[in-house]
Amino acid sequence: MKLATFNLYQFAAHGHYWHNKTERNTYTQAEWEQKQRWVTTRLREMNADMVGFQEVFSVPELRQLCAEAGYPHFITVDESGSREDDPAVYIKSVVALASRWPIQAVHPVDVPAAIRTDLPLPVDFRFSRRPVCADVDFPGIGTLTVYVVHLKSKRPVSLDMTYADKVAWRQRVSDTLQRLSRGTVASLLQRGLEATLLYHSTMARLAVDASHPIVVLGDMNDSQDSIPLAALTMQERIYSIGGLEPEQWPQDVTTWLYDYRLADSFRLAPNMRLSVRPFTKIHRGTGGVLDYILVSNALNPKNPAARAEVADYQIWNRHLDTDGVDDRLQSDHGQVCVELRPCAVQPDAATGINQRPAHTVRTLADIVTRQDFVEYAGGVFQSYKHFKQWSSEDKWKNFWSFFFDSEYGWVTSIYGTVPVSELYQKQRHSIEHVIPRDFLDRYLARKGVPRHVRNGATVNPLNFAPSERGLNAKRSNFRFDLDGDQIVRPYHMELHPDNFSGTGFDADNEWVIPSRNRGDIARAILYMLLVYEIDELYNRHIHTLVHWAKVDSPSAWEIAYNNWVYTRHGIRNPFIDTPENALLLLDNHDLLSAIEYRK
């Protein structure tokens, strides 16, 4: 399911004007037809199921356009306004919601008594553009409440200033600046009041059901770090509740804080991680963000009980600075489009759920395809929790306890020769993901892999290696060197510096693996590539990985760890079972061709 916010820029039909009766503020018949074609094309490109519109003057014309574009359900909650002395000149726009799915109910956005008590709210307060609040039923999610908003602009109130000829220019300058100062604050107050009213409206719904999914689509007319956005999302850190600081709160309070917040979908979308935020508006040559899609915790990928999650975030903004077409014939805003993907029904409690296939592959000789390998390996490991949600108890139970409940506490950490027991004793231990967790998150989300499988990839113990904490942070998400390059920036550390001299970065900023660890790394990579269908990471280097795995056979502790994982979770890495079995698989060209590079 996809939702979009779309500022149309003065959607006023031919024969009408916006704000002032000038040639610049109206469309010729040809221009109006061109603008409608562009809007229709953009709707088709985004392919959203619901679209929130701003700057709508000609409501019937937009309703018809949306119906023809495949949106039979359309609502507004206000009427656009015209000048009393000239109905052809629009002075007030409205917001609208178009949907492919039936709209079940429409709700007013009321003013709570607490706001009238605590804030300087005028008795006759009105939104600059009355927001839409509607319920829509979506398959896989249930009832979704959608707001369409357009907050007050930053344009100062009361810009119409004229002076008599006898007024000195110095006085005009002083008076103009003072009026603009008051007008700017008046606009900020209006925008801020609108933001907090919207927040209170969403909270009234969440007070009934904190797991209710809510989406706010709109032009907020302010930056992501502004006061109105802070009042609308309430993402700022809370330092006390009723005078009590966090260490005095009950255990569940931190979780409840997220239940009553709205999150910026840009910050949640896996495809936007580590990305510079795309602009939605260019003002005097500088790009900025005014348009947002906010979601409640029920749609937050970080929430293990989410009904759906933000899976993709797109900005359609190339028309703003590359095509040479006047913005009035298109839009002076970029469009924001977000995909929500329903989550599977969550189990009551589990750290790992193994999707066990039917056992038709019983021997290595039966393995021909990737699916055969996955079945023999015990299936695709799934998880209720993401690695970020693992507690220290989870990490102990699912990984570290192996080293201390067996005779393998002396096993050396990955990339170095310090025993795990010493790292643990000195609190320098860390779990290294052989294929980085961040890569798994982004790659599998982009492929549309279900949430439990993505979580499972991040906590799959067959992708873990014991590491020194600082070294793990240093390696970060850098790729491995698989070309035999030399280290140009070795890793240095205070704890046994000589024991980590065999690893570091090459000239290409790739992480060089010591020869003693290459087999371990290769087996983990080959397993993950096959099980999670990762076809673009190391596909050019399969032959190198196979060679490493052959030269460095599974050690006794690797085999023991693989068996330990199998007894706990029912999964295993067939490349580790025994050295003999591993060799048979590494010579299985039919299997490995599934992940080899192909032009």
Side-chain angles (χ1 to χ4, degrees):
M1 179 185 71
K2 297 170 72 175
L3 300 96
T5 180
F6 196 152
N7 186 311
L8 292 165
Y9 183 72
Q10 320 298 8
F11 194 81
H14 168 63
H16 292 269
Y17 300 80
W18 56 89
H19 304 309
N20 298 296
K21 199 167 188 177
T22 65
E23 289 187 10
R24 181 67 184 170
N25 287 27
T26 189
Y27 299 113
T28 65
Q29 182 64 41
E31 289 174 334
W32 175 239
E33 292 174 358
Q34 179 180 347
K35 184 178 182 74
Q36 291 186 96
R37 285 196 300 271
W38 183 84
V39 171
T40 300
T41 299
R42 181 51 48 89
L43 289 174
R44 183 175 64 252
E45 291 171 339
M46 292 192 298
N47 192 31
D49 296 283
M50 296 185 70
V51 183
F53 295 101
Q54 300 87 36
E55 295 198 23
V56 182
F57 289 113
S58 299
V59 174
E61 287 79 359
L62 181 60
R63 184 191 302 272
Q64 180 179 347
L65 183 153
C66 288
E68 293 172 353
Y71 299 92
H73 309 284
F74 181 95
I75 61 166
T76 60
V77 293
D78 205 355
E79 296 181 357
S80 52
S82 303
R83 282 171 44 175
E84 291 184 4
D85 61 340
D86 192 346
V89 180
Y90 285 118
I91 57 174
K92 187 187 78 169
S93 65
V94 299
V95 301
L97 176 66
S99 175
R100 290 172 175 168
W101 298 88
I103 296 169
Q104 305 297 325
V106 179
H107 307 283
V109 178
D110 297 322
V111 180
I115 290 185
R116 292 199 179 277
T117 301
D118 296 339
L119 296 176
L121 194 72
V123 176
D124 60 347
F125 174 85
R126 294 184 59 186
F127 278 90
S128 54
R129 267 86 49 162
R130 188 178 170 190
V132 167
C133 176
D135 290 340
V136 181
D137 285 337
F138 277 98
I141 296 179
T143 301
L144 176 72
T145 297
V146 179
Y147 289 79
V148 183
V149 304
H150 188 184
L151 301 188
K152 175 68 179 72
S153 72
K154 290 184 177 181
R155 183 182 298 275
V157 174
S158 301
L159 281 177
D160 295 331
M161 292 175 283
T162 58
Y163 300 95
D165 291 341
K166 63 181 181 180
V167 178
W169 270 97
R170 178 173 287 277
Q171 183 178 348
R172 297 185 194 190
V173 169
S174 174
D175 182 68
T176 295
L177 293 177
Q178 291 178 64
R179 287 174 181 267
L180 287 174
S181 175
R182 297 194 299 271
T184 298
V185 171
S187 292
L188 174 61
L189 287 173
Q190 174 74 21
R191 192 164 59 257
L193 288 170
E194 292 176 352
T196 193
L197 282 171
L198 286 165
Y199 176 74
H200 281 72
S201 178
T202 61
M203 291 307 105
R205 187 62 185 261
L206 293 175
V208 177
D209 179 8
S211 65
H212 184 72
I214 295 175
V215 177
V216 180
L217 310 169
D219 176 359
M220 308 302 177
N221 265 318
D222 225 327
S223 61
Q224 56 190 322
D225 56 355
S226 64
I227 292 174
L229 262 293
L232 180 52
T233 61
M234 291 308 300
Q235 286 287 333
E236 298 294 324
R237 182 177 177 182
I238 305 300
Y239 290 94
S240 69
I241 296 178
L244 300 178
E245 297 182 351
E247 56 268 19
Q248 298 172 286
W249 297 349
Q251 183 176 358
D252 294 332
V253 167
T254 301
T255 301
W256 295 340
L257 284 173
Y258 289 104
D259 285 340
Y260 300 108
R261 286 171 163 159
L262 297 177
D264 185 346
S265 57
F266 167 79
R267 302 187 183 281
L268 302 179
N271 67 310
M272 287 290 110
R273 288 178 188 153
L274 306 177
S275 299
V276 176
R277 184 164 199 152
F279 59 84
T280 70
K281 176 78 172 178
I282 297 178
H283 180 64
R284 296 179 179 176
T286 301
V289 179
L290 299 180
D291 306 85
Y292 302 83
I293 296 181
L294 311 176
V295 298
S296 65
N297 202 38
L299 304 174
N300 189 338
K302 299 177 183 178
N303 176 11
R307 296 193 190 181
E309 59 184 353
V310 175
D312 189 73
Y313 178 99
Q314 297 292 333
I315 295 287
W316 299 80
N317 61 7
R318 294 187 62 184
H319 66 283
L320 294 179
D321 65 349
T322 61
D323 64 4
V325 179
D326 193 337
D327 285 344
R328 62 195 287 275
L329 302 179
Q330 300 179 148
S331 172
D332 62 342
H333 284 246
Q335 291 71 54
V336 184
C337 187
V338 164
E339 180 180 355
L340 300 178
R341 185 174 295 126
C343 298
V345 177
Q346 305 288 349
D348 292 334
T351 54
I353 314 154
N354 186 25
Q355 185 184 41
R356 299 176 184 273
H359 289 287
T360 59
V361 179
R362 302 183 183 279
T363 68
L364 290 177
D366 296 324
I367 298 177
V368 177
T369 66
R370 171 182 256 148
Q371 289 70 29
D372 295 337
F373 179 88
V374 173
E375 181 179 330
Y376 188 81
V380 179
F381 189 64
Q382 304 182 26
S383 175
Y384 171 54
K385 291 183 178 180
H386 186 279
F387 186 79
K388 288 182 179 179
Q389 296 160 339
W390 262 18
S391 64
S392 56
E393 181 181 353
D394 291 325
K395 294 175 183 177
W396 171 264
K397 182 172 61 175
N398 291 283
F399 184 62
W400 294 114
S401 62
F402 163 77
F403 300 99
F404 299 93
D405 293 342
S406 68
E407 59 183 286
Y408 296 102
W410 51 265
V411 169
T412 57
S413 59
I414 200 75
Y415 317 129
T417 59
V418 178
V420 171
S421 56
E422 183 173 346
L423 287 174
Y424 203 90
Q425 180 185 17
K426 296 182 178 181
Q427 296 297 294
R428 299 285 298 176
H429 60 292
S430 179
I431 295 177
E432 155 83 328
H433 286 75
V434 176
I435 292 185
R437 186 188 69 223
D438 184 68
F439 170 85
L440 292 169
D441 281 336
R442 288 183 286 109
Y443 180 85
L444 297 177
R446 188 171 70 247
K447 291 185 67 174
V449 173
R451 179 188 179 102
H452 282 173
V453 176
R454 300 200 316 268
N455 286 349
T458 72
V459 298
N460 191 319
L462 298 173
N463 189 43
F464 290 170
S467 179
E468 191 272 333
R469 189 174 63 214
L471 183 148
N472 194 3
K474 184 77 172 178
R475 187 236 160 173
S476 185
N477 292 327
F478 290 99
R479 291 170 64 102
F480 291 128
D481 166 60
L482 296 172
D483 299 309
D485 293 337
Q486 298 298 310
I487 298 171
V488 297
R489 286 186 294 135
Y491 177 71
H492 296 292
M493 62 175 294
E494 297 178 0
L495 182 65
H496 300 296
D498 294 338
N499 295 339
F500 290 87
S501 59
T503 194
F505 294 103
D506 65 11
D508 299 319
N509 283 329
E510 294 179 331
W511 191 250
V512 178
I513 309 166
S515 57
R516 61 180 173 272
N517 298 130
R518 289 177 178 174
D520 310 36
I521 296 294
R523 282 182 282 276
I525 290 176
L526 291 170
Y527 166 82
M528 293 294 288
L529 296 183
L530 285 164
V531 170
Y532 292 100
E533 299 188 20
I534 302 172
D535 297 328
E536 290 87 8
L537 186 58
Y538 291 114
N539 54 7
R540 293 177 181 270
H541 299 284
I542 299 303
H543 293 299
T544 299
L545 293 170
V546 168
H547 174 70
W548 283 3
K550 286 182 177 180
V551 172
D552 177 19
S553 298
S555 62
W557 87 262
E558 251 191 293
I559 295 172
Y561 176 69
N562 189 52
N563 292 333
W564 182 80
V565 170
Y566 184 73
T567 59
R568 298 176 67 83
H569 299 296
I571 59 172
R572 59 185 175 182
N573 184 343
F575 290 110
I576 299 176
D577 279 343
T578 66
E580 297 78 15
N581 286 356
L583 190 59
L584 288 173
L585 283 176
L586 293 170
D587 287 331
N588 189 329
H589 300 295
D590 290 332
L591 171 66
L592 296 176
S593 65
I595 50 177
E596 287 182 346
Y597 173 70
R598 295 180 296 276
K599 292 184 179 181

